[in-house]
Amino acid sequence: MTLTGRRIVVVGGGIGGLAAALALSLRGAEVKVLEQAETIRAVGAGIQISPNGGRVIQALGLGGALASRSCPARAVVLRDYRAGQEVLRLDLTTLPADQEYHFVHRADLVDLLAERARAAGVQIRLLQKVAAAEPGTPPRLALCNGDHCGDAALVIGADGLHSVVRRALSGGAAPVFTGQVAWRAIVPNDVDHPPEATVHMGPGRHLVSYPLGDGAAVNIVAAEERSAWTPEGWAHEDDPANLANAFSGFGGFVPDLLKRVDRVGLWGLFRHPVAPQWHGDGIALLGDAAHPTLPFLAQGANMALEDAWTLAACLDADPSQPSALARYQHLRKHRCRRIVAAATGNAWKYHLANPLIRGAAHLGLGLAGRVAPQRMLRQFDWLYGHDVTA
């Protein structure tokens, strides 16, 4: 194997970083993950692993493990906010047999990836916060504790939105507040929530919910348009009453879900540009470090998984690291830009404020769903049908 014995350092122990470390280690590389936290843990709550990301999980040997710790998705359902009336149903059970869709707690997926990576020989070093990265042969990392790392052939920046490694390639780019914020919470499944991703759509806001694991809990992500700026990040706690007030006009099972929220996070949604350059001398980016996305297509984790597999495959197929990295960017950049653009465009579709326009739009969606349900689902073939492991 081309990668046998090659030393690679991955900055960031999230889903993308651990998947890349595992994929590279399975190809013979000597991989070290630097994680700034004191333990491998996931910030956030539930995520959706759509078929394109699920194929990478399968290829990494974790398909059965994911199935045992996730909830298989039956449908994506759009509902009107007032009484929860169904507008459109996308039946995921009619997808091809190789296209599995799962709801899983982020922490469970991180645990699976970390356990498998360690078993494959990946070194995971905790409390290793990177202060600066410098491209070169070899590339160099300066850590906040005063240590330096300069013995790797490649440094992979999987260090998220505020990537230190990205700054080494293209400098910082100021994010733009979208005028939207989002709450995130997990509550007990007292409403018998079906195994569906349900989107309640209302004027200037929407609420997404779906069950996790064995179905005992429900993940909630609720977005609202507002002019007031809210800091970026998932660690800002808010009063559950603020969430309840923002969605007080919503019907269906939304009120019962919100009654059970006793702890909720709030964060501002910012638009970040896709990195102009994903690689340099001895450095590469993946996941949010390369292409941050808004959450309105549920593709952040899936893009990171695709990146991880593609990067490892390109490096393994080409003994020239520079040309392998160039190939990686070529294969990924257009697709990720398309996904980011689609996610950005989804919010306004959920937030129609004019009741006449909203009524007409919902009527049209419902008619299309009844007349041509497969056509409505197949509009996502470009997304779900993509297989980076082929």
Side-chain angles (χ1 to χ4, degrees), residues 77-163:
V77 182
L78 305 185
R79 295 183 179 275
D80 184 73
Y81 78 103
R82 287 164 296 193
Q85 181 178 0
E86 183 173 304
V87 174
L88 173 68
R89 174 176 293 269
L90 299 176
D91 186 355
L92 299 177
T93 66
T94 64
L95 288 170
D98 67 334
Q99 295 190 26
E100 298 181 358
Y101 202 119
H102 294 271
F103 305 134
V104 63
H105 197 293
R106 184 182 296 269
D108 287 337
L109 181 53
V110 167
D111 286 347
L112 291 176
L113 287 167
E115 180 181 349
R116 181 75 173 90
R118 287 191 175 103
V122 174
Q123 298 180 48
I124 300 177
R125 295 183 58 190
L126 305 174
L127 295 173
Q128 304 294 305
K129 185 175 183 179
V130 174
E134 180 182 344
T137 309
R140 292 182 60 81
L141 295 174
L143 278 60
C144 291
N145 61 10
D147 289 346
H148 290 80
C149 178
D151 62 348
L154 177 66
V155 167
I156 297 173
D159 47 343
L161 285 175
H162 307 292
S163 170

Side-chain angles (χ1 to χ4, degrees), residues 166 170 173 271-278 285 287 289-294 297 299 303-304 306-307 328-346 382-383 386:
R166 172 169 171 162
S170 55
R271 187 175 297 111
H272 296 251
V274 174
Q277 188 69 18
W278 293 21
L285 303 175
H291 44 74
T293 184
L294 294 174
L297 199 59
Q299 284 298 304
M303 280 195 290
E306 288 186 355
D307 287 351
Y328 159 67
Q329 177 173 312
H330 173 75
L331 290 173
R332 297 296 301 150
K333 197 166 187 178
H334 174 73
R335 173 169 171 80
C336 290
R337 284 187 181 276
R338 183 179 181 183
I339 292 173
V340 169
T344 301
N346 263 0
W382 69 273
L383 184 60
H386 193 70

Side-chain angles (χ1 to χ4, degrees), residues 217-230:
V218 174
N219 188 72
I220 298 171
V221 179
E224 177 192 41
E225 296 177 5
R226 64 162 67 165
S227 58
W229 179 82
T230 300

Side-chain angles (χ1 to χ4, degrees), residues 1 7 14 104 122 138 142 171 195 198 235 251 256 268 275 287 314 317 345 347 368 371:
M1 292 185 289
R7 293 182 178 179
V104 63
V122 174
T198 303
D256 290 329
C314 287
V371 172

Side-chain angles (χ1 to χ4, degrees), residues 162-183:
H162 307 292
S163 170
V164 172
V165 181
R166 172 169 171 162
R167 288 203 300 270
L169 288 178
S170 55
V176 177
F177 181 50
T178 63
Q180 300 173 87
V181 300
W183 289 270

